Amino acid sequence: METKIYTLPELPYSYEALAPFLTENQLRLHHDKHHSAYVNGANAILQRMDKANKENSDLDMKATLKELSFNVGGHLLHSLFWENLAPTGESGAPEGLIARTIDEEFGSLERLKKLFTQTAVSAEGSGWAALTFCKATKRPLIMQVEKHNVNVYPMFRILMVLDVWEHAYYVDYRNERAKYVEAFWGNVNWREVNRRLEDALAH
Ligand code: MN
């Protein structure tokens, strides 16, 4: 029960592993600067809350919780994102449960890719596209997250995410988000996506 703060996870591959989808420069900036800023931001707010509790002093709950939701959402989504990317050449194809689930729900992988791509490309400003799983209906559903924390459904399990904040692609793709999204499909870790689906059904 001791862990009281968030920590920045290391990438599960080297900084060069995702090229040419993402270069080392792009990945370092994204992971070491942006992701770590959300971890530090979340921890700073938690410490502020701890201090206020200790002193029994007032907190602006509305502002504090909004800021916390943004930072924790950012940290959790980035952590999921790194893990659902595969080193170049190791993406594989959907197999097993995830393959059957995609076919049943969307008709084909191509259709899922088309819908997910439209979701990613059309996110206004900063956000995410996510493939999620609703345990109540046993349906995979695509979610379009605004910022890191808006339009998120409670309890849905996240199978795969794609960060479409400009900081995720600007070094490598400038303003061409659609090219970045297209390249993403070559580095999806389908084994991890399948593992998350199996885990969602089991727990
Ligand atoms: Mn990001």
Side-chain angles (χ1 to χ4, degrees), residues 29-31 34-35 38 74 77-78 81-82 127-128 148 162-169 180:
L29 181 74
H30 196 178
H31 175 268
H34 291 279
H35 185 173
Y38 300 122
L77 286 173
H78 283 94
F81 182 45
W82 309 132
W128 298 74
H148 299 311
L162 173 60
D163 189 342
V164 289
W165 282 57
E166 276 190 350
H167 73 218
Y169 59 86
Y180 159 71

Side-chain angles (χ1 to χ4, degrees), residues 75-93:
H75 166 51
L76 297 177
L77 286 173
H78 283 94
S79 299
L80 288 161
F81 182 45
W82 309 132
E83 296 280 343
N84 69 227
L85 295 177
T88 300
E90 296 174 26
S91 169

